[in-house]
Amino acid sequence: MKTSDFYFDLPKELIAQDPLTDRSSSKLLVIDKNTGNVEHKVFSDIIDYLNKGDCLVLNNTKVIPARLLGVKPDTGAACEVFLLKRLSDDTWETLVKPGKKLRNGAKVSFGDGILTAEIIECLENGNRIVKFYFDGIFEEVLNELGEMPLPPYITHKLQDKSRYQTVYAKFEGSVAAPTAGLHFTEELLKKIEDKGVDIAYVTLHVGLGTFRPVKADEITDHEMHSETYFIDKDAADKINKAKETGHKVICVGTTSCRTIESAADENGKLKECSGDTSIFIYPGYKFKVLDELITNFHLPESTLVMLVSALCGRENILRAYDIAIENKYRFFSFGDACFIKS
């Protein structure tokens, strides 16, 4: 199967640059995964498709303000350090710019010296191991100095950091938001619970690889990035209960989907666990747990559009995306949503 099989032409003006004032007022394209038929709704209508006994799975990861803009103290040259993975209290694997100027021993200052960093190792993949120096608590310093790591296709400055977090974000560790969850408000979640729907929270820390383009001609030649996930007993029990009683498991976002599909055994059962996953879901994949999916509109030729094609069928997805474009739906992170129903 070719990467080019998942191409579609998206007008630039449909890439959403700003979040809506009301999270739940975005458009919702409902796609029947069996027939490909579509309905046009508002996101708050999602409650009409959820039934008592179903299980809604949400990723409660929290985005860290991972982009740090600083200067080299010796020259005053501008630098950027992007946090990828915490290795210890004060040491991180990072991306840096400009790479040629930030070799072993190089130092960077942020916020007039409130935070400083030293490059202690250059990795083969070009990433850097960086040791930070600061007074107090690193998370507090980072919240003061760091910027939210918005995707490269968003060019507007985010005025309110909280709008790139879900209302249920809890555990820090992501460098990108699980954006399907941005549509939920606390009020909508309360209504869903009051209807008798179980809500299961899992955690997958989203990595920068989520934006990595597929460069291989054959999709099977693409190497997926690895991300860390956690599932507690409460979430596993709720998901198992829904399956055992003949109800549906509905994932909010591709990250929740990848988490439960990675952790399930061959019978689709889950237990409390944690690990790293590099699962790559594309057409031909047989879902073990997930029945339905709430998600955003994804980039052409991306692993995410391949994942939704695995659930709904490539032709159905591309046809639905054409309809969304015709109807001026907003695409990508701050865009509208679609619900793939069974």
Side-chain angles (χ1 to χ4, degrees):
M1 192 171 290
K2 302 286 188 184
T3 299
S4 58
D5 292 337
F6 298 88
Y7 178 79
F8 60 93
D9 188 27
L10 179 69
K12 189 176 180 180
E13 62 269 19
L14 294 185
I15 300 174
Q17 292 296 320
D18 302 288
L20 297 180
T21 303
D22 176 5
R23 290 174 182 261
S24 63
S25 65
S26 61
K27 294 180 182 179
L28 176 68
L29 188 71
V30 180
I31 312 169
D32 187 309
K33 71 179 183 183
N34 299 310
T35 67
N37 292 338
V38 302
E39 303 172 84
H40 300 281
K41 299 288 184 176
V42 175
F43 189 79
S44 54
D45 293 332
I46 192 69
I47 192 169
D48 297 334
Y49 297 90
L50 306 176
N51 297 299
K52 183 177 181 179
D54 289 345
C55 184
L56 188 69
V57 184
L58 301 107
N59 181 9
N60 62 6
T61 188
K62 192 171 187 177
V63 184
I64 60 172
R67 178 169 280 119
L68 287 163
L69 303 177
V71 296
K72 290 192 69 181
D74 52 346
T75 64
C79 303
E80 177 180 318
V81 175
F82 191 105
L83 306 180
L84 292 178
K85 185 176 182 180
R86 193 172 201 162
L87 304 177
S88 68
D89 285 348
D90 56 7
T91 307
W92 288 73
E93 182 176 347
T94 69
L95 291 173
V96 301
K97 293 180 184 177
K100 290 182 179 179
K101 302 290 186 181
L102 295 174
R103 299 290 182 179
N104 285 354
K107 294 180 172 60
V108 184
S109 174
F110 309 94
D112 295 324
I114 294 174
L115 177 69
T116 58
E118 180 181 0
I119 312 298
I120 59 174
E121 185 179 352
C122 298
L123 302 180
E124 288 184 6
N125 61 5
N127 295 352
R128 305 288 195 271
I129 305 299
V130 170
K131 183 177 177 65
F132 288 100
Y133 301 88
F134 53 91
D135 291 325
I137 299 170
F138 182 77
E139 286 76 11
E140 292 179 355
V141 176
L142 186 62
N143 282 331
E144 179 183 349
L145 299 178
E147 294 186 2
M148 277 300 186
L150 295 180
Y153 47 76
I154 294 178
T155 58
H156 291 190
K157 186 174 178 62
L158 184 63
Q159 300 302 318
D160 178 0
K161 284 183 181 181
S162 70
R163 293 312 305 273
Y164 196 56
Q165 301 278 20
T166 62
V167 297
Y168 48 83
K170 187 174 182 180
F171 298 109
E172 292 187 334
S174 281
V175 297
T179 54
L182 297 179
H183 302 283
F184 285 91
T185 62
E186 291 174 349
E187 293 77 15
L188 180 56
L189 286 170
K190 176 70 163 54
K191 288 179 181 177
I192 290 169
E193 279 193 298
D194 288 346
K195 194 174 179 180
V197 177
D198 275 332
I199 296 182
Y201 292 100
V202 300
T203 307
L204 182 137
H205 292 317
V206 188
L208 200 61
T210 192
F211 303 125
R212 185 191 298 165
V214 179
K215 295 181 178 178
D217 291 334
E218 295 284 343
I219 66 173
T220 51
D221 292 335
H222 176 69
E223 184 177 344
M224 282 290 285
H225 55 288
S226 179
E227 295 166 318
T228 301
Y229 69 85
F230 306 88
I231 298 176
D232 65 19
K233 185 177 186 301
D234 180 68
D237 288 347
K238 286 178 177 177
I239 295 166
N240 289 337
K241 178 185 173 184
K243 299 300 285 187
E244 290 164 3
T245 56
H247 293 94
K248 293 175 181 175
V249 173
I250 304 103
C251 283
V252 176
T254 56
T255 62
S256 299
C257 165
R258 294 177 67 243
T259 300
I260 65 171
E261 290 294 319
S262 297
D265 66 19
E266 63 272 14
N267 298 312
K269 292 278 189 172
L270 290 165
K271 61 182 180 181
E272 182 174 11
C273 61
S274 62
D276 294 321
T277 179
S278 56
I279 189 172
F280 185 11
I281 297 175
Y282 53 86
Y285 179 85
K286 302 299 182 186
F287 289 88
K288 296 178 287 187
V289 189
L290 174 139
D291 297 300
E292 299 178 333
L293 178 67
I294 298 167
T295 188
N296 280 20
F297 292 94
H298 303 297
L299 277 72
E301 300 184 329
S302 64
T303 60
L304 303 182
V305 83
M306 295 171 189
L307 185 153
V308 295
S309 295
L311 180 62
C312 194
R314 184 183 70 90
E315 295 80 7
N316 286 342
I317 282 293
L318 293 180
R319 191 183 313 114
Y321 274 38
D322 283 343
I323 293 170
I325 291 168
E326 289 171 13
N327 287 272
K328 300 292 190 287
Y329 276 67
R330 302 163 73 247
F331 274 64
F332 306 160
S333 295
F334 286 142
D336 295 315
C338 66
F339 173 49
I340 301 174
K341 71 170 188 175
S342 54

